[in-house]
Amino acid sequence: AKPEWIIVKDLDASVYAWMVYHKSSGATKYLQLNATDGESTLSTIWNNTEPTNSVFSIGTNGSVNSGTNNYIAYVWHSVDGFSKFEKYTGNGSTDGTFVYTGFAPRFLIIKRINTTGGWFMWDTERQRFNPNGTYLEAQRDSAEDVQNSTVYIDFVSNGFKIRGTSSALNTSSSTYAYMAFAEHPFVGDGTSPVTAR
């Protein structure tokens, strides 16, 4: 299937960033996993070419293609009942946006993409109750932030609910990309996950 989220990293040169493709931004733009910048436009990253169900394209930028260095690529596409790679729009309210994933999330990353914002990460291992305000940030080397009252998420049986008003996840009319993986993956040919207990 066509990739919806790609991360590429040069393994030989630490000077290069972790380059990110997200389907909401398209192949003319990129994000950096180790930076707070919003999406930027540069044709030499993804070669202005959308991925297909068999290949993704890279340009001549050293972050993705030096010609001699080794690279690693992580490539994902949504799988019903297992993973979801999408976007949502913030509403700026403590009664924030509900995002349907079709499963109860186990791990979640959210990134504001239309402007500056961190890569916020939640899971249900370090905190098992709602609202979940215990998160890490991918672009920082600091310890987890515990029970931050403006960066709250509720994990529910079929998605997640934004509870905080932080610009990190809920500014009115801002666009946020997310990746989510299921707490109890249950997939099969044409089946939906079972989330009831």
Side-chain angles (χ1 to χ4, degrees):
K2 177 183 174 180
E4 297 173 336
W5 194 307
I6 303 170
I7 300 175
V8 173
K9 179 69 176 81
D10 187 319
L11 298 175
D12 297 325
S14 61
V15 66
Y16 292 123
W18 293 74
M19 307 309 290
V20 178
Y21 163 89
H22 189 274
K23 69 175 187 177
S24 299
S25 299
T28 62
K29 298 181 180 180
Y30 69 93
L31 296 161
Q32 296 179 73
L33 185 62
N34 55 311
T36 60
D37 301 350
E39 58 190 7
S40 301
T41 301
L42 189 62
S43 63
T44 58
I45 303 296
W46 310 117
N47 207 31
N48 281 355
T49 305
E50 286 293 321
T52 70
N53 63 356
S54 59
V55 299
F56 70 91
S57 298
I58 54 173
T60 57
N61 188 283
S63 296
V64 294
N65 183 18
S66 70
T68 58
N69 290 358
N70 294 300
Y71 292 82
I72 192 165
Y74 302 94
V75 185
W76 294 280
H77 178 85
S78 298
V79 176
D80 287 345
F82 179 80
S83 59
K84 190 81 169 177
F85 307 93
E86 260 300 341
K87 66 177 180 177
Y88 70 88
T89 302
N91 65 11
S93 168
T94 53
D95 184 21
T97 304
F98 167 72
V99 181
Y100 176 81
T101 61
F103 53 79
R106 169 72 166 175
F107 176 69
L108 173 67
I109 297 179
I110 295 176
K111 169 72 173 90
R112 189 180 186 186
I113 61 174
N114 62 310
T115 189
T116 302
W119 294 83
F120 289 80
M121 302 183 293
W122 294 264
D123 61 74
T124 58
E125 179 63 28
R126 291 174 302 120
Q127 181 171 324
R128 296 179 179 269
F129 56 88
N130 288 327
N132 189 331
T134 302
Y135 62 87
L136 296 163
E137 293 182 61
Q139 82 286 351
R140 298 174 63 193
D141 61 1
S142 56
E144 65 184 5
D145 197 328
V146 179
Q147 285 302 97
N148 185 319
S149 62
T150 65
V151 191
Y152 275 139
I153 296 285
D154 278 353
F155 288 101
V156 297
S157 64
N158 59 352
F160 60 93
K161 171 83 170 171
I162 307 300
R163 291 295 185 193
T165 56
S166 169
S167 62
L169 69 160
N170 195 19
T171 294
S172 181
S173 301
S174 275
T175 304
Y176 299 84
Y178 72 86
M179 72 161 48
F181 290 93
E183 177 85 37
H184 301 290
F186 185 85
V187 293
D189 188 16
T191 64
S192 296
V194 174
T195 56
R197 295 178 191 246

